[in-house]
Structure formats: structure tokens, C-alpha cells
Amino acid sequence: MTPEPPRFPALGAQEAHLRQSLLGALCGLSVEDRILRAQLLPRDADAAAWFRCADAIAFRPLRLGGRALSMDASDGPAMAALLDAADDLLSALEAALGVTLDPIDIGPCPDAAGLTVRIDSLDQQVVLLLSVPIGAAILAQPAALAPSLLGHIALPVGIAVAGPRLSPADAATLAPGDLLLIGPAPIGATLRPPHGDAIPGRLDPAARCFRPH
């Protein structure tokens, strides 16, 4: 039985742009010699305490310096110390997104329609949740170190190359282990992802680049 292709929810243009902007700005961000990554989480009801900022933006540190954190809104000095410990991280997020993360109170996550992003370091020493409403006015800056994350992404794909035409006599002379030189010019090829339709295009062996038609 052929498996059904994955189904993706329909997104409005504003939400799609926000998703792209958040992930592009936060994946690969460097803070204190640590590379951060980000992933979008389901938007669930959450009664935990969050630092609530202007424009319905909120954040909740879960781990700093490898230590799990808990938030007690009634303990003012502890909350102030937590913000001080997260200052470098928050400053980096502000610069990446063009927002101000100055808490105005502590309470449940704002219930405005929005996205929840989990931001963590590759070594799991830093973990923070960020809630951003769909209509947030962010000025995202693409992370300069995003390529550092590429070594942590496995993407299984196949590629079929249109080989040269050989006469039956020439083909009969080939043996296992023989090399067939195809030259450096781009050649016809088809990219075959694990799900979805095959993508025709051209493979440039010299540049190691596939370009779809």
C-alpha cells in the first residue's frame, strides 16, 4: 500500500511570513559562543508563569547554564536575578527580532493568536520559550551563523542522473568498478525526496548544485 503524502495545514500569508522570519532569525544565532536553534511548538493552553512584555509578546526561560528554572511571580528578587542571568540571551533575541523584551508583568501566556517558539542551544545549556502574536511587528535579521547548523540536519534524498548514450558494443566493455567520465557540464537529473513528487532539473557536478527546472 502506498503511504499517503504528508498533509500540511493551510496558513495565512501573515502567519507564514512570521514563521519564516522567526526561524530564519533564531536558527544559528550565536550567544556566548553557543549556537542556538529554534522550533515551532503547538499552541496549547499554558497556566505557567511567563514574563509578559508589550504587544502581547512573552517569554519563559526553562534552563540557563544547564540549570532547570522555575518561576515564582511572588518572589520579586528571584525574578530579577533570573532576568539578570538571561540578559545576554534576551539582548541577542532583541537584536535578532527587532523587539523589546522588557517585562511589564508576570502571568499566564497571552491568549492572543500567535506562535510559540522553543529556543535552545545545541548543548541544551540554554532553553527558552518565546510567544509572539501573529500580528507582531518584528524586524527579523537572518542569523549569520545559520550554516553552522547544517551538520545537524539529515535530509535523505536520491538523485537520478541521465547518463550518456552508449552503443551495445561500448556498454559490453564495461566491468564492475569502471569509471564513466561525464564531464563538468550540467546534466539532466531528477531529485527524488522521500515524500512527494520527483523534481526534474539539472545537476552541476563542478558546483555540486542541483537546480530545478
Side-chain angles (χ1 to χ4, degrees):
M1 179 180 295
T2 303
E4 292 186 4
R7 297 179 180 179
F8 301 99
L11 301 177
Q14 194 174 31
E15 180 178 350
H17 177 72
L18 180 61
R19 286 170 173 259
Q20 181 181 17
S21 299
L22 289 173
L23 296 180
L26 299 175
C27 288
L29 188 65
S30 177
V31 179
E32 296 181 339
D33 296 327
R34 289 190 172 93
I35 302 298
L36 303 184
R37 59 188 174 184
Q39 67 179 110
L40 297 171
L41 301 180
R43 187 79 170 185
D44 297 326
D46 190 345
W50 290 63
F51 287 110
R52 299 155 57 105
C53 308
D55 301 321
I57 296 175
F59 64 91
R60 181 184 171 203
L62 300 181
R63 182 179 294 270
L64 291 174
R67 182 172 61 90
L69 305 173
S70 61
M71 290 182 53
D72 182 357
S74 65
D75 191 343
M79 294 298 94
L82 195 161
L83 288 176
D84 285 343
D87 184 63
D88 289 342
L89 173 61
L90 296 176
S91 296
L93 298 181
E94 288 178 331
L97 300 177
V99 299
T100 300
L101 298 178
D102 288 336
I104 55 179
D105 67 358
I106 302 175
C109 184
D111 57 7
L115 301 176
T116 299
V117 190
R118 175 188 168 97
I119 305 163
D120 58 23
S121 58
L122 298 179
D123 59 7
Q124 291 294 295
Q125 292 292 300
V126 173
V127 181
L128 178 140
L129 299 182
L130 178 68
S131 174
V132 183
I134 297 297
I138 67 172
L139 298 174
Q141 300 293 323
L145 297 180
S148 300
L149 294 176
L150 294 180
H152 299 269
I153 300 175
L155 183 62
V157 296
I159 187 165
V161 176
R165 294 179 178 273
L166 295 177
S167 68
D170 290 336
T173 64
L174 296 177
D178 286 349
L179 296 179
L180 188 63
L181 301 181
I182 59 176
I187 53 178
T190 302
L191 193 68
R192 302 186 183 279
H195 301 287
D197 298 331
I199 305 170
R202 297 189 70 80
L203 175 68
D204 187 338
R208 308 175 83 178
C209 178
F210 175 84
R211 293 182 175 88
H213 287 324

